[in-house]
């Protein structure tokens, strides 16, 4: 399972949002579709790993007290519950 090195923003809700993918750590597995070792005509492909692993490095380039876009909908937008 390959992993990414990323840069991003840390939000007040605690979420880290990627703004830039800096690099990729290759797992060098023939069974990972993101690896350079994966064959173009792989006979095992329905069983191969299709997802990237957790970020191997997260560099915080900006910190903000605001909610991330996903949380803003639920806590400040149309998805929030009205107070009684």
């Amino acid at each position: 399972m390959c992993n990414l090195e990323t840069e991003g923003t840390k939000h007040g809700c605690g979420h880290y949002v990627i703004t830039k993918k800096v690099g990729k750590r290759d797992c060098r597995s023939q069974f990972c579709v993101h690896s350079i070792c994966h064959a173009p005509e792989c006979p095992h492909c329905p069983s191969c790993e299709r997802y990237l692993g957790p970020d191997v490095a997260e560099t915080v380039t900006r910190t903000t007290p605001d909610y991330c876009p996903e949380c803003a909908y639920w806590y400040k937008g149309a998805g929030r519950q009205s107070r009684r």
Side-chain angles (χ1 to χ4, degrees), residues 34-80:
H34 300 286
S35 176
I36 59 171
C37 296
H38 187 259
E41 301 296 324
C42 177
H44 309 288
C45 221
S47 303
C48 289
E49 185 65 50
R50 301 200 175 285
Y51 300 101
L52 294 167
D55 292 352
V56 70
E58 293 180 346
T59 305
V60 176
T61 56
R62 183 172 168 248
T63 304
T64 178
D66 300 329
Y67 289 115
C68 71
E70 287 77 20
C71 289
Y73 172 82
W74 294 106
Y75 294 105
K76 292 191 172 187
R80 75 176 180 174

Side-chain angles (χ1 to χ4, degrees), residues 10-57:
K10 186 74 167 184
H11 290 270
C13 57
H15 289 122
Y16 170 80
V17 178
I18 296 171
T19 55
K20 182 179 177 185
K21 295 176 184 174
V22 179
K24 180 180 84 171
R25 295 259 177 106
D26 197 318
C27 64
R28 305 193 59 79
S29 170
Q30 64 181 353
F31 301 109
C32 175
V33 296
H34 300 286
S35 176
I36 59 171
C37 296
H38 187 259
E41 301 296 324
C42 177
H44 309 288
C45 221
S47 303
C48 289
E49 185 65 50
R50 301 200 175 285
Y51 300 101
L52 294 167
D55 292 352
V56 70

